[in-house]
Amino acid sequence: SRPPRWKRYHLTAVGHACSATSDMDDGYTVTSDTPTSAGGTGTAPQPVQLLLAALVGCEQATAHFIATKLRLPPIRQIRFDIHAERDEWGSLAPPVKQPPPTLSRLQRITGTATVFTDASEADVRAIAAGVKLRCPVASMIIDSGCELDVHWVKASE
C-alpha cells in the first residue's frame, strides 16, 4: 500500500449579495451569481452550473488520461449533453430555522457523452467505467447520494 500523494487546492474569495468571486492559486478567477429572480444580478453562472461544468471538465480530463494510459486511439472530442435536477424546496422551504422537508443537493444528473475516437465501442465503455471510478468530481457527486447517470457512446462518424 502506498502512502497518499496529496494534491492540494487553495483559493480566496470575496462575496457580495448572491455573487462570489474566487481567485485560484494558479491565477484564474471564477465568478458565480444567481439570476435576478433569486436575488442576484444574473451576471455570472450559478454555482450549480459551475459544479456541472466542473463535472464535465473533470470527466473530459479523466477520459483523456485513461485513453492515454490504455494506449487507445486518441479521443478527438467528447460532446456532453448534461441535465441535472434538484427539488428547490430543499433550499427555499420556510421556515429557514428548521431543516428543509427535502434535500437541497442535486438529486439526479443524467445525460450523454458522445466520444469521437477511432477506439472501439468496448474501449469507450472501458473509458466510461474508468471515468466513473477515477474522476474526483464524479466521485464526490456520487458519494453525496446524487444519481449520476451519464451514458457514454461512441460517435458514429
Side-chain angles (χ1 to χ4, degrees), residues 84-106:
E85 58 189 28
R86 66 183 179 87
D87 184 345
E88 281 193 299
W89 285 120
S91 298
L92 303 176
V96 297
K97 289 185 177 183
Q98 294 180 6
T102 187
L103 299 167
S104 61
R105 65 164 166 75
L106 288 174

Side-chain angles (χ1 to χ4, degrees), residues 35-52:
T36 55
S37 61
T41 62
T43 59
Q46 298 174 57
V48 172
Q49 291 170 319
L50 292 173
L51 173 68
L52 296 172

Side-chain angles (χ1 to χ4, degrees), residues 30-110:
V30 176
T31 300
S32 66
D33 198 0
T34 60
T36 55
S37 61
T41 62
T43 59
Q46 298 174 57
V48 172
Q49 291 170 319
L50 292 173
L51 173 68
L52 296 172
L55 171 65
V56 167
C58 195
E59 287 198 341
Q60 172 72 45
T62 304
H64 173 79
F65 170 80
I66 290 169
T68 300
K69 291 299 182 185
L70 294 177
R71 297 186 174 160
L72 298 175
I75 295 173
R76 291 186 296 282
Q77 180 182 81
I78 303 175
R79 291 187 186 163
F80 291 90
D81 183 11
I82 301 296
H83 303 268
E85 58 189 28
R86 66 183 179 87
D87 184 345
E88 281 193 299
W89 285 120
S91 298
L92 303 176
V96 297
K97 289 185 177 183
Q98 294 180 6
T102 187
L103 299 167
S104 61
R105 65 164 166 75
L106 288 174
Q107 294 179 21
R108 187 174 306 111
I109 300 172
T110 60

